[in-house]
Amino acid sequence: MVLWLFVAQLATLALILAIAYRPLGDYMARVFSSPKDLRVERGVYRMIGVDSSAEQSWPAYLRGVLAFSVVGILIVYGLQRLQEFLPYALGLPAVPEGLAFNTAISFVTNTNWQSYSPEATMGYTVQIAGLAVQNFVSAAVGIAVAVALVRGFARRSSGTIGNFWVDMLRATVRILLPLAVVAAIVLIAGGAIQNFAGFQHITTLTGATQSIPGGPVASQEAIKLLGTNGGGFFNANSAHPFENPAAWTNLVEIVLMLIIPFSLPRTFGTMVGDRRQGYAILATMGVLFLASLGAMTAFELSSGSLEGKEQVFGILGSTLFNTTSTTTSTGAVNSMLDSYSPLGGMMAMVNMMLGEVAPGGVGAGLYGILVVAVIAVFIAGLMVGRTPEYLGKKLGPREIKLASLYILTTPTLVLVGTGLSFAVPAIRADVEKTSIFNPGLHGFSEVLYAFTSAANNNGSAFGGLTANTPWLNAALGTAMFLGRFLPIVFVLALAGSLAGQAKIPATAGTLPTHRPQFVGLLVGTVLLVSALTYFPVLALGPLAEGLQ
């Protein structure tokens, strides 16, 4: 009976995503192709001094991304440090410097890694003006970068790839904000709370006293999922009944995480003028997602363990949610991954190691899989001895170098960060003494998971690791920052290089990139690149633990 309910849940999820794919994908394509600005957008442009009709080269677009993000980090950091002087601080003190640094980078990079208990650390003003705002705009930055890369494929002999300020604002105002309002209303109807009540002191059935926090939860929950952010209002994240009250809201939250990433391939196909290309990308994402879901579910069912899982959701509702979370870079959890079986927890890690392209975060998943597609086409070109071409653009040494640098960035951050945590004697002593509660293979997996999550901008964690230490705050903050912005540098440089090319006609030797053959090649490339990079370190942690 439970299995049939799971199948029904999957079918419902697939139906909703299929219904949304065409209208939402086409709508997003119109948003980024329309020459018209809304009145509220024109007001913002006047305020910040932006000419919305002026296009930008890729270096100018990149400067906009970096400037906007650095200012965001400073604002979120300042709000945390000044918290005790802000309204609705709930009597909470300023956030310590190291933790404030880590959290500011975390939310601006769309990671939402939290080394603290949110309800006991952040007042409402910081939650709304700092964290919730970044949930919107950091997601919008990801969408903007993806659209810039799509323009690189679509344009001919152009020196520009759009306007960052226009793309970011449109993504916020026309896509994320309307969807978040609707999602928040649905969650409130389902029982998620939305108030400014502060802490309510109650007497329990046993006569003890307890403080129950309130807060504007539903509104933040909506955008944390839609924007694939993941930061919880409460420490238990989406396992908390105030955030995720029932089995049907659990499905709603899964839909919110997937709806934009799975619709963006349609946007891509529409903007490049060949919607079959969007279907190929969608099929690749779907195959990887279903394979990962099947593996994690099989491992957890074989263990039969309900430790760390909310009974309302059970094993199947938990694996569906957490597969979605770790394949979309959301990082929200409705069960504790630290309590999963070694191989079940490994699958959450592998989802991130694949580059979160199944379907990935809003924007980041699309530009990530398009970079992998460039690598796949290059490999196919080597096999037949032809200059690789993708969507009418030749992939020369410059394009392949940029794609390769993109692929190498996050594995380098993960492996170097994990290695330093155990290779430097003073750091290792602190990590083993302070951070790791489960020594041995599982403790190694916890540290590996933390750097994998940070560098891939996911934000989920094995719950047994204490990360609020000077080393981990600094190291994970650095991994989040570099893991977000170095790939964006390479993506925008690739977009500029492609946009500057003339489109070449397809010939008999051109690899068709809209057929099942290419889908298989792309899936194989994703798996091959990740396996070669991460298998040795997985063998030291979750694989070894699973074989014990």
Side-chain angles (χ1 to χ4, degrees):
M1 181 64 180
V2 174
L3 185 59
W4 281 112
L5 288 174
F6 181 62
V7 171
Q9 194 175 37
L10 271 180
T12 303
L13 175 63
L15 179 62
I16 293 172
L17 295 176
I19 291 172
Y21 176 76
R22 180 172 180 174
L24 181 56
D26 288 347
Y27 170 72
M28 289 190 288
R30 289 194 299 272
V31 164
F32 296 110
S33 303
S34 172
K36 296 182 179 179
D37 299 320
L38 301 180
R39 179 178 298 177
V40 65
E41 294 169 349
R42 290 194 294 270
V44 174
Y45 298 144
R46 285 195 295 270
M47 187 186 307
I48 62 178
V50 168
D51 179 3
S52 63
S53 63
E55 293 254 327
Q56 295 175 316
S57 63
W58 80 261
Y61 202 101
L62 175 62
R63 287 194 295 271
V65 171
L66 296 178
F68 181 74
S69 300
V70 169
V71 170
I73 291 172
L74 295 175
I75 291 174
V76 177
Y77 178 84
L79 287 171
Q80 292 175 88
R81 297 293 296 139
L82 296 172
Q83 174 169 257
E84 59 189 312
F85 305 109
L86 299 175
Y88 290 105
L90 306 180
L92 297 172
V95 180
E97 295 94 330
L99 182 59
F101 162 81
N102 183 280
T103 304
I105 290 178
S106 172
F107 277 78
V108 171
T109 58
N110 200 241
T111 310
N112 291 32
W113 171 271
Q114 293 173 292
S115 300
Y116 58 91
S117 177
E119 64 266 42
T121 307
M122 304 289 185
Y124 295 161
T125 300
V126 176
Q127 290 269 18
I128 295 172
L131 308 189
V133 167
Q134 287 303 320
N135 282 348
F136 278 98
V137 296
S138 67
V141 168
I143 296 174
V145 173
V147 169
L149 179 58
V150 172
R151 291 196 187 105
F153 284 109
R155 293 186 174 182
R156 304 179 182 183
S157 303
S158 173
T160 61
I161 55 173
N163 185 309
F164 164 71
W165 305 100
V166 173
D167 292 340
M168 184 273 297
L169 188 60
R170 288 186 178 186
T172 303
V173 173
R174 302 192 194 185
I175 299 172
L176 295 171
L177 190 57
L179 288 174
V181 170
V182 174
I185 293 171
V186 172
L187 291 174
I188 291 171
I193 67 170
Q194 181 77 12
N195 59 53
F196 289 90
F199 291 94
Q200 302 296 307
H201 303 285
I202 65 168
T203 302
T204 67
L205 293 175
T206 61
T209 59
Q210 185 175 355
S211 295
I212 306 294
V217 176
S219 56
Q220 188 155 320
E221 187 75 8
I223 188 55
K224 100 172 188 186
L225 299 166
L226 270 171
T228 58
N229 298 283
F233 199 96
F234 300 105
N235 194 41
N237 208 281
S238 290
H240 199 293
F242 287 178
E243 290 195 29
N244 192 6
W248 73 267
T249 61
N250 192 60
L251 180 59
V252 168
E253 296 193 0
I254 292 168
V255 169
L256 294 179
M257 286 187 274
L258 293 173
I259 193 166
I260 294 178
F262 265 132
S263 296
L264 277 171
R266 174 77 178 192
T267 305
F268 162 66
T270 300
M271 291 183 70
V272 299
D274 185 355
R275 287 174 176 149
R276 298 174 302 173
Q277 303 294 335
Y279 287 121
I281 296 297
L282 177 68
T284 304
M285 291 175 168
V287 168
L288 291 169
F289 177 84
L290 291 175
S292 173
L293 174 63
M296 181 185 286
T297 302
F299 290 139
E300 288 308 295
L301 286 175
S302 65
S303 74
S305 174
L306 285 171
E307 178 188 331
K309 298 180 178 69
E310 172 57 53
Q311 300 301 301
V312 172
F313 311 133
I315 291 176
L316 299 176
S318 298
T319 57
L320 177 57
F321 189 100
N322 287 323
T323 295
T324 301
S325 172
T326 51
T327 55
T328 58
S329 86
T330 308
V333 292
N334 73 346
S335 55
M336 297 301 104
L337 293 170
D338 198 48
S339 296
Y340 275 40
S341 65
L343 297 181
M346 181 190 71
M347 285 310 303
M349 207 180 306
V350 167
N351 289 340
M352 296 181 289
M353 291 174 173
L354 291 177
E356 293 173 323
V357 294
V362 286
L366 179 61
Y367 66 67
I369 202 165
L370 289 178
V371 171
V372 178
V374 168
I375 299 292
V377 171
F378 174 69
I379 292 172
L382 291 178
M383 291 179 179
V384 298
R386 285 182 54 88
T387 300
E389 305 166 8
Y390 187 41
L391 300 179
K393 299 297 178 75
K394 284 193 174 184
L395 304 177
R398 175 180 171 82
E399 289 76 24
I400 299 305
K401 287 176 183 177
L402 290 170
S404 299
L405 288 170
Y406 177 97
I407 295 295
L408 292 172
T409 297
T410 50
T412 301
L413 294 171
V414 172
L415 299 178
V416 170
T418 305
L420 289 175
S421 297
F422 293 102
V424 180
I427 294 175
R428 175 173 180 167
D430 178 63
V431 168
E432 292 181 343
K433 180 181 178 181
T434 305
S435 297
I436 295 176
F437 283 96
N438 299 295
L441 297 174
H442 193 77
F444 177 82
S445 295
E446 290 176 347
V447 176
L448 174 61
Y449 193 102
F451 279 97
T452 303
S453 179
N456 287 279
N457 301 131
N458 184 274
S460 62
F462 272 13
L465 185 74
T466 298
N468 187 15
T469 65
W471 162 248
L472 287 179
N473 274 331
L476 294 175
T478 302
M480 286 185 278
F481 186 86
L482 296 178
R484 173 70 163 181
F485 295 112
L486 277 181
I488 285 178
V489 171
F490 302 134
V491 167
L492 292 178
L494 179 61
S497 179
L498 293 170
Q501 294 185 30
K503 193 169 184 178
I504 57 176
T507 65
T510 301
L511 173 69
T513 54
H514 60 275
R515 296 178 182 172
Q517 175 192 29
F518 180 71
V519 173
L521 176 64
L522 189 49
V523 169
T525 303
V526 171
L527 297 177
L528 181 63
V529 168
S530 299
L532 292 175
T533 305
Y534 288 111
F535 182 79
V537 74
L538 288 172
L540 295 174
L543 280 173
E545 186 183 1
L547 293 172
Q548 262 188 335

